[in-house]
Amino acid sequence: MKTWTIAALSAGAGLVLAGCATTPPGGARAKIETPAACENLTVHIYFEPESAEVTEEGRAVLAQAASSAKACKVERVKVLGLADAVGAPAANLELSKQRVASVTQALIANGLPAAEFDLAAAGQQGAVTASGDARPLRRRADVTLELTTP
C-alpha cells in the first residue's frame, strides 16, 4: 500500500513539473516591473543644537531622496530652514539660512536633477506655542521635492 502512494505522488509531481517546463519564455513567470511613482516627496533633516552641518544620517536621507527623484522630472525643490527658540531671534534666523544652504549643497552633491529651488528660512518663528511652550524638534530643514513623470 505504501508503494502505491509513493508511486502516485511521484507521478503527480512529474505532471506538475512537466507543466512548468512547457511555460513559454516570458509567460506566467515573467517578471512584472512597475514604473517608479513620481509623487511629491518630503523629508526632514534634523540638526544638532546650534549647528548647520548636515549629519551623517541627514546625508543618507538626502542621498535617498535624490536617488528616488532621478527617474522623475523635478519641477521644484522647497527647502525651509527652522530653528528652536533657544538664543537670540536674529542668530536663529541666520542659523536657519545656514541650514538651508547646507541641505541645498548636499542635494546638489547627490546629483539631484536640475530644478527650481524655493529656499526659505523661518528662524525661530513658530517655535513657541501661544501658551509659551517650546515646540520640540525645530532644529531641522524641511525638504519637499515636487516630482512629475517625465
Side-chain angles (χ1 to χ4, degrees):
M1 187 74 161
K2 289 182 182 178
T3 306
W4 173 251
T5 304
I6 293 172
L9 286 175
S10 296
L15 288 174
V16 169
L17 292 175
C20 288
T22 60
T23 303
R29 291 191 279 168
K31 181 178 176 183
I32 299 172
E33 293 185 27
T34 55
C38 292
E39 298 175 0
N40 292 354
L41 173 66
T42 299
V43 295
H44 306 287
I45 306 302
Y46 295 93
F47 294 87
E48 294 296 322
E50 300 179 31
S51 174
E53 182 179 339
V54 179
T55 64
E56 185 175 323
E57 181 180 318
R59 285 191 300 275
V61 170
L62 292 171
Q64 179 61 42
S67 177
S68 296
K70 286 187 179 176
C72 306
K73 181 174 192 248
V74 182
E75 297 288 337
R76 180 184 307 264
V77 178
K78 294 180 180 180
V79 182
L80 173 64
L82 303 167
D84 56 25
V86 177
N92 285 333
L93 181 58
E94 184 58 33
L95 183 58
S96 293
K97 291 176 183 178
Q98 292 170 2
R99 289 174 175 166
V100 168
S102 295
V103 167
T104 302
Q105 290 171 356
L107 284 168
I108 292 168
N110 278 296
L112 183 72
E116 180 179 332
F117 278 77
D118 183 4
L119 309 176
Q124 68 185 42
Q125 182 180 13
V128 179
T129 65
S131 63
D133 296 326
R135 291 191 172 148
L137 302 178
R138 286 281 303 192
R139 296 184 313 266
R140 70 177 195 268
D142 296 338
V143 180
T144 300
L145 305 178
E146 294 181 1
L147 308 172
T148 58
T149 304

